[in-house]
């Protein structure tokens, strides 16, 4: 199923530039961060980057939160993930409560809390 997920998300990524009101899909796409695993999450980050400049900063945070170690297969990049959660915390304090933009970060955090066996990621 993972290959199908990735292919569907790659298709969505290719279609995003052709959509006029891209922001209306962000809630549905945000929910996927609490369900998808692995490379699919990285493609989802790319989709948020493609949606609009309004989402660029959140997409950067999401990319850090979902980073993988380049040296070791299936090993999270702990430093980048911790940095991403720190950036999310700072952004939340300065945003003034734009909950729609924080929704993908919240879903990603829920996923990590429920699925990560590493305490450093859970605590971030």
């Amino acid at each position: 199923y993972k290959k199908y997920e990735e292919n569907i998300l790659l298709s969505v990524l290719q279609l995003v530039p052709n959509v006029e009101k891209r922001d209306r899909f962000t809630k549905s796409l945000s929910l996927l961060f609490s369900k998808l695993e692995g490379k699919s999450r990285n493609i989802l980050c790319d989709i948020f980057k493609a949606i609009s400049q309004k989402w660029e900063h959140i997409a950067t945070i999401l990319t850090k939160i979902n980073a993988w170690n380049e040296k070791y297969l299936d090993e999270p990049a702990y430093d980048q993930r911790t940095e991403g959660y720190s950036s999310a915390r700072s952004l939340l304090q300065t945003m003034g409560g734009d909950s729609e933009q924080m929704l993908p970060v919240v879903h990603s955090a829920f996923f990590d809390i429920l699925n990560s066996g590493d305490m450093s990621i859970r605590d971030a």
Side-chain angles (χ1 to χ4, degrees):
Y1 293 109
K2 297 220 185 280
K3 193 64 179 169
Y4 293 121
E5 284 177 2
E6 293 172 13
N7 287 336
I8 290 169
L9 288 170
L10 287 170
S11 296
V12 169
L13 180 60
Q14 297 298 317
L15 292 171
V16 166
N18 300 318
V19 176
E20 288 182 25
K21 296 180 183 178
R22 299 174 191 159
D23 287 348
R24 72 180 193 196
F25 298 105
T26 55
K27 287 182 184 178
S28 300
L29 291 169
S30 296
L31 180 63
L32 294 176
F33 275 110
S34 63
K35 299 186 183 294
L36 301 179
E37 298 178 357
K39 187 177 178 183
S40 296
R41 296 171 65 83
N42 294 68
I43 299 168
L44 200 51
C45 292
D46 292 338
I47 291 171
F48 273 91
K49 285 179 189 173
I51 287 176
S52 75
Q53 287 183 329
K54 172 184 171 186
W55 289 89
E56 190 171 344
H57 190 62
I58 294 293
T60 301
I61 290 172
L62 288 168
T63 300
K64 289 179 183 178
I65 289 173
N66 293 289
W68 291 95
N69 191 323
E70 294 178 9
K71 292 183 182 177
Y72 303 104
L73 184 64
D74 293 332
E75 180 78 20
Y78 297 107
D79 292 341
Q80 287 185 35
R81 288 184 179 211
T82 303
E83 181 184 331
Y85 279 118
S86 178
S87 297
R89 220 177 0 263
S90 298
L91 183 62
L92 184 59
Q93 292 171 349
T94 60
M95 281 177 71
D98 186 354
S99 61
E100 185 181 344
Q101 280 201 313
M102 289 305 290
L103 192 60
V105 175
V106 170
H107 280 291
S108 197
F110 283 150
F111 180 85
D112 281 342
I113 289 169
L114 294 173
N115 297 302
S116 179
D118 190 280
M119 291 305 291
S120 65
I121 291 176
R122 286 185 184 181
D123 291 341

